[in-house]
Amino acid sequence: MNQSRSALIVDDERDIRELLTLTLGRMGLRIDTAANVGEARELLARNTYDLCFTDMRLPDGNGIDLVGEIARNYPNTPVAMITAFGNIELAVEALKAGAFDFVSKPVDLAVLRGLVKHALELNNADRTPPPPPPPEQASRLLGSSAAMDALRDTIAKVARSQAPVYIMGESGTGKELVARTIHEQGARASGPFVPVNCGAIPAELMESEFFGHKKGSFTGAHADKQGLFQAANGGTLFLDEVAELPLPMQVKLLRAIQEKAVRPVGASGEVQVDVRILSATHKDLGELAADGRFRHDLYYRINVIELRVPPLRERTGDLAQLTSAILDRLAAQHGRMAPSVSPEAMEALGRYPFPGNVRELENILERALAMSEGHSIEIDDLYLPQAPAGRKFGGDFNPGEVVRDAPGAVDVDPAAGALPDYIEQLERAAIQKALEENRWNKTKAAAQLGITFRALRYKLKKLGME
């Protein structure tokens, strides 16, 4: 490591200063130390540092205030908080103030070295622009609307941190792409990005899937298996549909995040893991926590930074750019020239509320590309769902509504039978539509319907649709 890299250690305990100085010095860093906030301010004013560690309680001030001061005045200096063991509330407060990460006393040297490595890589990442997103994902973060500009600015800021990020947004807005972009723009870009749909894992297999297992630990465990945390070591673990985690698993997940260690099923000891947690759901996680359906302590731990992905109806000015980019990609996949979109078809797209957001736009355009016969997509090629007579598309449009004149919709009549039969018809029609729009991918169909994968499997069996 280059000797020109430097770090500032702020702690009133001489033993901690000496331990960090020795450890970081062996990693090739030049070290300055301060015993209080005043000394730290003087050193920060005179020198440029690649990394700073600060204790929480200092003789003349508060470490969290110092974190905020460094984040504002020296934004290129990642700062990590040194906290007392188990004081996760202060650690979260430090992350919200702008800390890059935190380390608990007594300091684990392996964790410390990993933290330093990521902090220095973060500064290197500032000098190297992130790679462009893959072509199949490029359409999701396109747009020059104020909402998308704000989203990209926020992504750039949170990518500099190691703090957990909670990504909230409706189905189809591109939450996984946002998570991938955070990963690719941060210090962990060279590490793995491991996405997992929490609603698609059977409850009885969750602990094994997340933490791994040892051979013979249960029936069917014929060999050691690496868990998702171990697979994401050094990188990012993205917990999609995190609201679907059962409460017992939430307890185990919280401990793994706090201790930065996991215990494989059947193992006698823990395995250290270095993972950044990003999570997402289309549900209101705060409301679930208030109702007792999601643990408060886990909610506050994964919701250090909250990032909202805007729905497509809030950025309709991006529709033309998105449509063009999606058609270019789809046409290239089919080896043909991208068609244009007639003014009438574009106007119809502009009026439609897109309850399925960008994912629904992609499905509509893929179907239109297949149905169009000329070099232009016309309004009839779109097969947009129709609003009931006397209503226009708008904010009160119900994405679960099944209407008779919608192409492919099942004709249902509330007067034809008892209420349970009518509701069953509605369910069947909604599920059929979601499966068709997602090419019979049950996981994606469940997400679009706002139910878990297991719930969809149950309904398919109950309705005789398997």
Side-chain angles (χ1 to χ4, degrees):
M1 198 172 287
N2 193 321
Q3 187 67 35
S4 64
R5 309 306 288 273
S6 60
L8 172 63
I9 298 164
V10 187
D11 200 302
D12 60 341
E13 294 184 46
R14 177 177 295 184
D15 289 349
I16 295 292
R17 294 200 303 269
E18 290 179 352
L19 174 64
L20 295 183
T21 298
L22 182 62
T23 304
L24 272 59
R26 286 176 176 169
M27 296 181 72
L29 277 78
R30 178 182 61 80
I31 308 299
D32 286 339
T33 64
N36 53 55
V37 173
E39 291 179 10
R41 285 176 177 149
E42 291 179 9
L43 288 167
L44 285 163
R46 294 201 308 262
N47 305 289
T48 299
Y49 295 102
D50 297 285
L51 174 63
C52 175
F53 285 93
T54 180
D55 192 17
M56 174 61 207
R57 291 183 176 83
L58 297 164
D60 58 344
N62 185 309
I64 289 180
D65 292 339
L66 182 59
V67 166
E69 195 174 313
I70 293 173
R72 288 190 303 274
N73 300 332
Y74 310 98
N76 292 325
T77 301
V79 55
M81 175 66 76
I82 305 169
T83 65
F85 178 76
N87 200 336
I88 202 66
E89 292 80 8
L90 285 178
V92 169
E93 192 176 342
L95 291 170
K96 287 184 175 180
F100 163 79
D101 209 337
F102 69 92
V103 60
S104 299
K105 297 177 185 177
V107 177
D108 184 308
L109 296 185
V111 172
L112 177 66
R113 292 189 190 100
L115 188 155
V116 172
K117 175 175 173 286
H118 285 306
L120 298 182
E121 284 175 356
L122 184 62
N123 279 329
N124 288 335
D126 287 342
R127 302 178 180 93
T128 307
E136 67 273 12
Q137 299 175 358
S139 59
R140 290 291 181 88
L141 286 185
L142 283 178
S144 54
S145 61
M148 289 307 292
D149 285 344
L151 177 62
R152 283 189 290 266
D153 287 346
T154 305
I155 287 173
K157 291 175 183 175
V158 302
R160 287 190 52 80
S161 170
Q162 295 298 290
V165 178
Y166 166 52
I167 304 166
M168 59 186 299
E170 298 174 8
S171 293
T173 50
K175 296 187 290 296
E176 181 173 336
L177 178 60
V178 168
R180 286 184 183 274
T181 306
I182 292 170
H183 170 77
E184 290 166 2
Q185 292 187 4
R188 296 176 178 266
S190 59
F193 176 85
V194 179
V196 53
N197 187 328
C198 298
I201 304 175
E204 63 273 13
L205 296 179
M206 273 195 171
E207 189 171 357
S208 170
E209 287 294 315
F210 275 99
F211 308 139
H213 64 247
K214 304 298 288 183
K215 178 181 178 180
S217 56
F218 55 86
T219 303
H222 301 302
D224 289 357
K225 178 186 175 182
Q226 185 184 59
L228 294 165
F229 268 85
Q230 295 95 314
N233 194 38
T236 302
L237 181 61
F238 173 53
L239 304 175
D240 197 9
E241 297 305 339
V242 69
E244 306 304 331
L245 287 172
L247 287 171
M249 189 60 205
Q250 292 178 27
V251 178
K252 295 180 172 69
L253 178 63
L254 176 64
R255 188 181 186 284
I257 294 172
Q258 291 183 171
E259 304 301 328
K260 298 184 179 179
V262 298
R263 185 191 298 273
V265 177
S268 58
E270 291 188 329
V271 178
Q272 292 291 319
V273 286
D274 172 26
V275 170
R276 184 181 190 184
I277 299 291
L278 306 180
S279 59
T281 180
H282 68 283
K283 297 183 177 180
D284 188 333
L285 207 55
E287 182 179 316
L288 293 178
D291 291 346
R293 288 176 287 167
F294 197 87
R295 289 185 62 95
H296 276 95
D297 45 9
L298 180 58
Y299 171 64
Y300 291 124
R301 189 64 186 88
I302 65 175
N303 190 28
V304 173
I305 299 173
E306 188 172 282
L307 194 158
R308 179 178 178 270
V309 185
L312 186 52
R313 65 181 174 275
E314 290 183 9
R315 55 185 190 104
T316 52
D318 296 332
L319 195 57
Q321 186 180 0
L322 283 166
T323 299
S324 177
I326 292 170
L327 285 175
D328 284 346
R329 170 169 55 80
L330 293 173
Q333 289 174 357
H334 292 86
R336 57 178 285 189
M337 292 288 291
S340 61
V341 181
S342 72
E344 293 79 14
M346 203 66 230
E347 184 180 350
L349 288 173
R351 291 196 304 268
Y352 183 62
F354 289 102
N357 294 291
V358 180
R359 184 190 294 131
E360 185 179 11
L361 175 62
E362 291 174 346
N363 291 337
I364 288 171
L365 293 177
E366 185 167 15
R367 181 173 58 205
L369 189 65
M371 300 300 292
S372 65
E373 297 179 353
H375 298 293
S376 174
I377 290 177
E378 303 298 331
I379 189 169
D380 290 340
D381 299 324
L382 297 175
Y383 287 90
L384 292 176
Q386 302 295 308
R391 281 179 54 192
K392 296 181 180 180
F393 288 134
D396 59 348
F397 178 75
N398 180 2
E401 193 163 27
V402 180
V403 285
R404 288 188 203 178
D405 53 350
V410 177
D411 188 19
V412 293
D413 183 359
L419 181 61
D421 294 333
Y422 173 53
I423 293 173
E424 187 174 292
Q425 286 181 288
L426 287 176
E427 277 192 331
R428 189 188 303 274
I431 291 171
Q432 180 77 17
K433 180 172 180 288
L435 287 169
E436 288 175 356
E437 289 183 351
N438 290 283
R439 301 182 188 176
W440 302 94
N441 184 313
K442 293 178 184 176
T443 300
K444 291 183 178 178
Q448 181 172 319
L449 290 164
I451 61 178
T452 67
F453 178 77
R454 291 191 297 278
L456 176 59
R457 284 194 306 182
Y458 169 77
K459 288 182 180 296
L460 288 172
K461 185 175 182 179
K462 175 187 172 186
L463 297 170
M465 296 177 66
E466 284 189 315

